[in-house]
Amino acid sequence: MQEPIPSIASIYQHVVAAQPVAASLPGPALTDSQLSSCNFLLDKNWGRALQIVDQGGVRCFEAQNSKRRVYQVQGKTPADQYLVFPDHFCSCQAFFYEVVGRSEAPYCKHQIAARVADTCRRCPSTIVPDHVLTQILLEV
């Protein structure tokens, strides 16, 4: 019996989780092979996500007691800010159109940017009371 073909999501999670730590970088670094794999699997959203991370467009909010995390990722303009749960949700239109509606991509660029920024420790994290995080979530 043949083994099932792994999903793009599981391959992506494996690639990002298996990053070697480079002493000269602020966080883990991706190898050329991993970058190539992500570029192939995530297509145009990969490059766009890396631009967002390089521009410092990802912020993390962590609830003080529950330790729940939500990300705020910048869109095309500084006024465009999206609420992101990297594995499950983004408040942008592309998420609903490309990811949910048409299944053209496993993630939108904001989800990828949040995951990469967090993994590579390239996003500032703000500890907030649980009720403040609840208010942020209610505004979606």
Side-chain angles (χ1 to χ4, degrees):
M1 183 173 180
Q2 271 188 326
E3 289 185 34
I5 298 173
S7 70
I8 290 175
S10 67
I11 293 170
Y12 171 70
Q13 289 172 350
H14 173 74
V15 168
V16 172
Q19 300 176 50
V21 176
S24 63
L25 297 174
L30 290 171
T31 65
D32 287 342
S33 174
Q34 291 168 328
L35 286 169
S36 178
S37 296
C38 286
N39 188 47
F40 174 75
L41 294 170
L42 301 169
D43 199 28
K44 63 183 182 205
N45 287 339
W46 176 248
R48 293 173 182 166
L50 293 180
Q51 287 177 337
I52 293 170
V53 174
D54 285 343
Q55 294 168 357
V58 180
R59 293 185 59 202
C60 176
F61 295 95
E62 183 176 338
Q64 189 172 22
N65 296 325
S66 69
K67 304 298 182 199
R68 291 186 176 132
R69 301 176 99 187
V70 66
Y71 297 85
Q72 181 182 36
V73 181
Q74 184 174 323
K76 288 183 181 181
T77 68
D80 296 331
Q81 299 288 328
Y82 300 106
L83 182 71
V84 177
F85 292 98
D87 291 333
H88 307 291
F89 175 79
C90 180
S91 61
C92 74
Q93 291 179 353
F95 174 77
F96 292 102
Y97 182 74
E98 292 179 4
V99 179
V100 176
R102 300 184 74 188
S103 298
E104 291 178 352
Y107 305 103
C108 73
K109 66 183 176 184
H110 307 108
Q111 290 175 288
I112 298 166
R115 169 79 60 93
V116 170
D118 185 57
T119 302
C120 295
R121 291 178 237 141
R122 297 273 313 267
C123 65
S125 185
T126 304
I127 306 295
V128 297
D130 284 47
H131 72 276
V132 172
L133 188 65
T134 301
Q135 284 303 118
I136 292 171
L137 297 174
L138 288 174
E139 293 175 10
V140 174

